[in-house]
Amino acid sequence: MRADIEQLKSEIEQSVELLRRRLDWETSERRLAELNALAEDPSFWDDAQTAQKLMQERSRLESAFDAINSITADLSDNVELAELAEMDEDSGLLDAAASALSAVKDKAAAAELEALLSGEADGNDCFVEIHPGAGGTEAQDWAEMMMRMYSRWANARGMKVDVLETSDGDEAGIKSATLKFRGQNAFGWMKTESGVHRLVRISPYDSSARRHTSFASVWVYPEIDDSIEIEINESDCRVDTYRASGAGGQHVNKTDSAVRITHEPTGIVVQCQNDRSQHKNRSQAWEMLRARLYEKELQEREAAAQAEADSKSEIGWGHQIRSYVLQPYQMVKDLRTGVETSDTQGVLDGKIDEFMAAALSARVGDDANA
């Protein structure tokens, strides 16, 4: 066969072998058989919480097996096609086989990345907080642009986005926002986005059309389920209620339904104004606080305290993880991995998978080296 097809075949086979090792194929096969047997037991759903957790584990294993089997089958089919094309000296068919194998390689690479999402909370939904840095309207507009970018990314992946809290800027943009992302491996993907993001552009709010630099910070933490116990002493918390902000008209909340909780020992603050019911907002805020405290514990257990300190540091020069330059040239560059692209509009429209994948690979590599 042609050298390029042989090369693609070899690379895909290496990816499949790596996936099988990460999955621990034989052990996972036995575990899946156990879970299937448990699911057939009539008493399986007597303990709904445990059953749901086991079903999620089964679903993850089935997805992993399906991905590997699909890649293996596609590889076999297209290698066979290439061999037949070579026997018939059909160059067009050989090109088609090479193109198909290239797609299989991309599919294997995506499966490898999904396999990296094996952290304790990677499969969970997550909360995302966005805050502008100093700079008034310009920074607040940048924070709103980031909120739109992440919402579009999530929607493209089939995730749902709930806006739990937003505080409108004085003239434009937002002073803060808290979103909840619901979908497969939401936290696993979004955790790589925690940090400071820098924008360089000609300001639409500057009558002299000068170039401005703005900053916004992103903080991501996982939702936790009831099986994870996080003890919170309510006497350590200050609960404030206030009137939710809105766009006007019928959407303005006329009661103090928004809730803010401050955990004084850690300084963690969460707030929710998503619902008109103060009771529901209070419940959601407590859930967010539990998630923030759990995320803090995860960071400490995973020896990532320095990363946490960096992302919570001053929102400004020297702390950014990614730069978005719109003037005098077009470039988005991740300062952690070196990945860059000139498709700035695509990035702002949510095409950020390349940055996430590189950051995730680098993070897993650092953990392995450690």
Side-chain angles (χ1 to χ4, degrees):
M1 282 187 292
R2 288 184 345 204
D4 58 338
I5 293 179
E6 287 286 2
Q7 179 66 26
L8 285 167
K9 176 175 177 288
S10 174
E11 291 175 355
I12 296 168
E13 288 173 340
Q14 290 174 16
S15 291
V16 169
E17 181 58 30
L18 178 61
L19 287 167
R20 289 175 67 97
R21 286 203 307 270
R22 282 181 179 158
L23 181 61
D24 192 354
W25 186 274
E26 293 182 357
T27 301
S28 294
E29 272 189 326
R30 289 194 295 269
R31 178 57 178 165
L32 183 57
E34 291 174 6
L35 292 170
N36 287 332
L38 285 171
E40 294 172 2
D41 190 326
S43 62
F44 178 69
W45 287 99
D46 290 351
D47 183 347
Q49 189 177 75
T50 300
Q52 186 174 18
K53 191 173 182 180
L54 292 173
M55 290 298 287
Q56 288 173 346
E57 181 185 358
R58 185 176 79 162
S59 178
R60 285 196 297 271
L61 286 174
E62 285 178 338
S63 294
F65 278 116
D66 288 347
I68 294 172
N69 289 333
S70 175
I71 292 167
T72 302
D74 288 346
L75 172 62
S76 177
D77 290 345
N78 286 291
V79 166
E80 185 177 339
L81 179 65
E83 290 172 345
L84 289 172
E86 193 170 52
M87 288 174 60
D88 294 340
E89 298 183 351
D90 188 335
S91 59
L93 196 56
L94 267 175
D95 289 340
S99 178
L101 284 171
S102 181
V104 176
K105 179 186 172 182
D106 292 341
K107 184 177 177 180
E112 282 189 52
L113 284 171
E114 289 288 343
L116 296 177
L117 299 172
S118 57
E120 185 173 338
D122 282 355
N124 293 19
D125 296 341
C126 68
F127 300 100
V128 179
E129 292 183 13
I130 303 173
H131 299 277
T137 300
E138 182 68 26
Q140 291 167 11
D141 187 51
W142 172 223
E144 185 173 43
M145 289 169 65
M146 294 202 67
M147 177 177 168
R148 173 182 175 274
M149 179 181 76
Y150 288 127
S151 296
R152 289 203 165 195
W153 170 82
N155 291 333
R157 277 189 164 265
M159 296 184 187
K160 295 187 180 298
V161 181
D162 299 328
V163 180
L164 303 182
E165 177 271 333
T166 55
S167 177
D168 293 336
D170 297 325
E171 297 180 34
I174 55 173
K175 293 181 179 178
S176 68
T178 304
L179 313 175
K180 182 177 180 180
F181 286 21
R182 296 185 286 127
Q184 184 177 10
N185 292 324
F187 176 65
W189 286 109
M190 278 300 300
K191 68 184 180 184
T192 63
E193 292 299 293
S194 285
V196 177
H197 298 248
R198 167 178 171 253
L199 172 70
V200 180
R201 66 170 176 173
I202 299 296
S203 172
Y205 307 101
D206 186 335
S207 59
S208 301
R210 290 172 295 187
R211 192 164 66 243
H212 283 242
T213 299
S214 307
F215 298 93
S217 71
V218 177
W219 187 243
V220 183
Y221 49 99
E223 182 182 39
I224 57 176
D225 56 41
D226 294 335
S227 64
I228 301 172
E229 295 185 7
I230 300 293
E231 294 184 7
I232 302 176
N233 188 342
E234 294 193 16
S235 64
D236 291 337
C237 301
R238 186 177 75 249
V239 181
D240 301 306
T241 58
Y242 58 98
R243 186 164 298 179
S245 62
Q250 63 178 344
H251 298 293
V252 172
N253 198 327
K254 302 187 186 307
T255 61
D256 292 344
S257 62
V259 176
R260 180 188 298 112
I261 302 177
T262 304
H263 187 252
E264 295 181 337
T266 61
I268 290 174
V269 180
V270 296
Q271 52 194 12
C272 183
Q273 64 177 46
N274 185 47
D275 203 280
R276 291 181 179 272
S277 164
Q278 185 187 112
H279 175 74
K280 290 182 179 179
N281 286 335
R282 186 183 296 265
S283 175
Q284 180 71 77
W286 281 112
E287 179 184 344
M288 291 164 64
L289 179 58
R290 289 177 65 239
R292 284 289 299 271
L293 291 171
Y294 173 61
E295 191 270 346
K296 186 174 184 296
E297 181 182 327
L298 272 183
Q299 292 284 350
E300 292 169 352
R301 290 213 318 255
E302 294 173 359
Q306 186 58 51
E308 179 181 357
D310 289 345
S311 61
K312 276 192 169 294
S313 57
E314 177 187 354
I315 308 176
W317 288 101
H319 303 292
Q320 63 266 21
I321 63 170
R322 191 176 303 144
S323 288
Y324 306 71
V325 180
L326 307 185
Q327 288 288 343
Y329 53 89
Q330 302 273 313
M331 181 67 68
V332 180
K333 181 171 183 177
D334 194 290
L335 305 180
R336 301 163 298 178
T337 62
V339 172
E340 60 183 46
T341 178
S342 59
D343 183 17
T344 55
Q345 189 56 54
V347 170
L348 294 175
D349 283 338
K351 296 179 181 178
I352 54 176
D353 285 330
E354 183 180 10
F355 298 105
M356 290 177 159
L360 182 62
S361 296
R363 184 167 179 164
V364 172
D366 289 343
D367 290 346
N369 291 335

